[in-house]
Amino acid sequence: MAVVVVLVLLLAAGVLGSVARAGLYATGLYRDGGTPAVDPTVFHEASGRSTALPAQPSAPVLADASPEPGSRADAVASRIRDVGPVAGSTWGMVVDAATGETLFADRPDGDAIPASTLKVLTSLAALDIYGPDHRFDTKVLRDPADPAKLYLVGGGDPYLSKGPAGGPPARSSILDLAAATATALKDAGTPGDVEVVIDTSLFAGPGWNPDWIPVYRDYAAETSALWVDGARPRGAAIGPRDANPSQVAADAFTAELKRLGVGVSGTARGEAPADSAEVAKVSSMPVENIVELVLIYSDNDAAEVLFRHVGRAGDRSGSITDSQAAIRETLQRLGAWTEGMKIVDGSGLSRANLVSARSLTRAVELAIKEDGEKYRALATGMSVAGTEGTLAGRFVEDGTAAGRGLVRAKTGTLTNVHSLAGYVRSSDGSILVYAFLVNGEQEEYRTRVWLDRITATLSTCGCRG
């Protein structure tokens, strides 16, 4: 154990090179973003800085640019070839954002397992259907015919908290909902105890996706329209989830009601009658901020909630099946669907997902267009190489330094599956949109470094002449 700690500390201090880093990555002691296997605070004294992710997405590091069109496809392809090959199957595409011209294509319409880059498509669909300013409400309703019952109605707020509301971006709190409810009941002169009825009917069907394997229970909760703190009892991105997320939320709500002097006889489950009156509500942060958090932290749980919201479009039920149909319909309309694609979840956890490099580049193109304000959160939510989010610990090997602070991307990682999709400002001012996917490479670390080198070389591309 002492040897491992020394290796990790030396790595954090920049003493060890790629061999040690690759070895630690293989053992699970070195990871990209997310929740590290070793508490990042142990590096603080050794290196003088913490490697922990920022509490919230920071401001973009790129200055405004007005790129001129004209990047040459042969020059871009030459840069990519110079990086050299990687084992496994590859798919890729690079597009000049100013002209829409394809500058590089490696089976762009082929179908690959995307891992978490799928979150780009889930987020695109959610932004398209709801708009960036939409908020999801968690409500307390009351049936006029049975005033002794309060209906706690889940609105699909993925960041509802059982602690104090905070931000930015502002997270809503179930404690605030309880306080507003208690005030309303007292103002109405409600006598006696009330029963809290839990209503999670917003999303129909099972919460656990049948395409997920059991080990994913440490990576995603059973999706619910009502939970607190992402259904994570320990607050960690990787670890056990609440077995009954809506009950945990209801328990926090009733405990606060009791603390505020409201008598509660118990909890039950049901659906609020159609003519129920609103007692109180709290609203989520805007969808654009939810998307930013989903992307920068690769939040599986929140992505699955967005997926179910997509499944509510067109009077659908919000079930897994309806969500699969709705996301396909939406992406087809936006030109971000190619024949052969298959999307079964919102997070990219399932290996049954298949997407194309063209679909991912199309999504990013929509976000960075001058008139793409509706989808802009896709661009602002992407991690910055070597700086924040799931790219904070990357771009450290030879041939990658040029991309630090310039490459913006959503990462994707499963066993033998690695991907990057995003955009980069090259040295000649061009904005290049890209997607690269690798399936089947056994050397996990080598694959990640290859992706870092590919995108870093795009940042140095003076590819007009």
Side-chain angles (χ1 to χ4, degrees):
M1 183 62 187
V3 172
V4 170
V5 171
V6 170
L7 286 173
V8 173
L9 292 174
L10 288 173
L11 173 62
V15 176
L16 296 185
S18 61
V19 174
R21 185 176 291 107
L24 290 171
Y25 179 83
T27 64
L29 293 172
Y30 185 83
R31 298 187 183 183
D32 306 330
T35 300
V38 176
D39 185 343
T41 59
V42 305
F43 303 145
H44 186 78
E45 293 183 1
S47 64
R49 64 181 178 86
S50 171
T51 60
L53 299 181
Q56 302 292 346
S58 57
V61 300
L62 300 182
D64 291 339
S66 299
E68 298 177 6
S71 295
R72 288 173 41 214
D74 59 342
V76 172
S78 176
R79 291 274 185 153
I80 292 173
R81 283 195 301 268
D82 287 346
V83 174
V86 68
S89 300
T90 61
W91 298 261
M93 190 170 187
V94 180
V95 175
D96 186 323
T99 66
E101 179 186 358
T102 298
L103 303 177
F104 175 81
D106 171 16
R107 298 191 294 166
D109 297 313
D111 302 311
I113 302 171
S116 283
T117 50
L118 180 66
K119 293 181 176 75
V120 173
L121 301 180
T122 303
S123 297
L124 173 66
L127 286 165
D128 182 75
I129 291 168
Y130 292 97
D133 299 323
H134 184 82
R135 298 171 186 262
F136 303 115
D137 295 332
T138 306
K139 299 179 180 180
V140 175
L141 305 179
R142 199 174 192 184
D143 179 5
D146 191 358
K149 288 183 178 179
L150 292 180
Y151 290 86
L152 177 59
V153 183
D157 178 353
Y159 292 112
L160 181 66
S161 172
K162 65 179 176 183
R171 298 173 188 246
S172 56
S173 172
I174 204 161
L175 302 184
D176 290 347
L177 182 62
T181 301
T183 298
L185 293 178
K186 291 174 182 177
D187 289 347
T190 303
D193 294 349
V194 295
E195 180 183 43
V196 174
V197 182
I198 306 167
D199 183 344
T200 58
S201 60
L202 185 70
F203 302 149
W208 186 255
N209 195 303
D211 282 292
W212 292 345
I213 58 178
V215 72
Y216 286 169
R217 290 194 179 276
D218 275 352
Y219 293 84
E222 293 203 18
T223 308
S224 173
L226 177 66
W227 66 28
V228 286
D229 300 331
R232 302 170 185 178
R234 299 178 185 173
I238 301 175
R241 268 39 179 192
D242 292 326
N244 191 341
S246 60
Q247 186 64 55
V248 173
D251 289 346
F253 176 75
T254 57
E256 183 67 3
L257 282 182
K258 292 175 182 178
R259 191 186 73 80
L260 295 171
V262 177
V264 180
S265 60
T267 60
R269 292 189 174 272
E271 189 170 342
D275 61 347
S276 294
E278 183 178 303
V279 176
K281 74 175 181 181
V282 291
S283 300
S284 74
M285 64 182 75
V287 168
E288 63 179 353
N289 294 134
I290 294 173
V291 164
E292 288 175 328
L293 292 177
V294 164
L295 295 179
I296 197 168
Y297 295 116
S298 202
D299 189 329
N300 294 325
D301 297 302
E304 292 300 333
V305 172
L306 287 181
F307 183 59
R308 296 300 194 92
H309 279 299
V310 170
R312 295 278 305 174
D315 294 325
R316 291 183 171 95
S317 70
S319 68
I320 292 171
T321 301
D322 277 353
S323 299
Q324 293 166 348
I327 195 169
R328 174 172 182 159
E329 177 184 288
T330 305
L331 296 178
Q332 285 175 329
R333 176 168 47 78
L334 295 173
W337 185 276
T338 55
E339 187 175 354
M341 281 177 52
K342 180 181 180 182
I343 294 180
V344 303
D345 64 23
S347 61
L349 278 173
S350 173
R351 302 180 78 88
N353 290 305
L354 295 172
V355 307
S356 68
R358 188 181 301 277
S359 67
L360 291 168
T361 55
R362 170 61 176 167
V364 180
E365 281 186 277
L366 289 170
I368 66 174
K369 284 179 177 291
E370 186 175 347
D371 59 352
E373 291 87 357
K374 185 175 185 180
Y375 311 113
R376 195 75 78 213
L378 290 182
T380 58
M382 288 186 172
S383 299
V384 180
T387 303
E388 64 180 0
T390 57
L391 288 180
R394 290 177 58 162
F395 289 74
V396 294
E397 296 292 357
D398 292 344
T400 67
R404 294 174 69 88
L406 292 175
V407 172
R408 299 202 68 153
K410 177 69 199 78
T411 57
T413 305
L414 291 171
T415 303
N416 303 141
V417 174
H418 294 271
S419 55
L420 282 181
Y423 62 100
V424 59
R425 180 180 174 182
S426 67
S427 58
D428 63 11
S430 300
I431 301 296
L432 304 179
V433 177
Y434 63 85
F436 294 98
L437 304 97
V438 184
N439 290 182
E441 163 64 89
Q442 301 301 307
E443 294 289 339
E444 309 275 359
Y445 187 75
R446 181 186 302 168
T447 308
R448 293 184 321 107
V449 173
W450 182 82
L451 289 168
D452 294 352
R453 285 175 177 153
I454 288 287
T455 50
T457 200
L458 292 178
S459 74
T460 66
C461 193
C463 296
R464 292 203 187 104

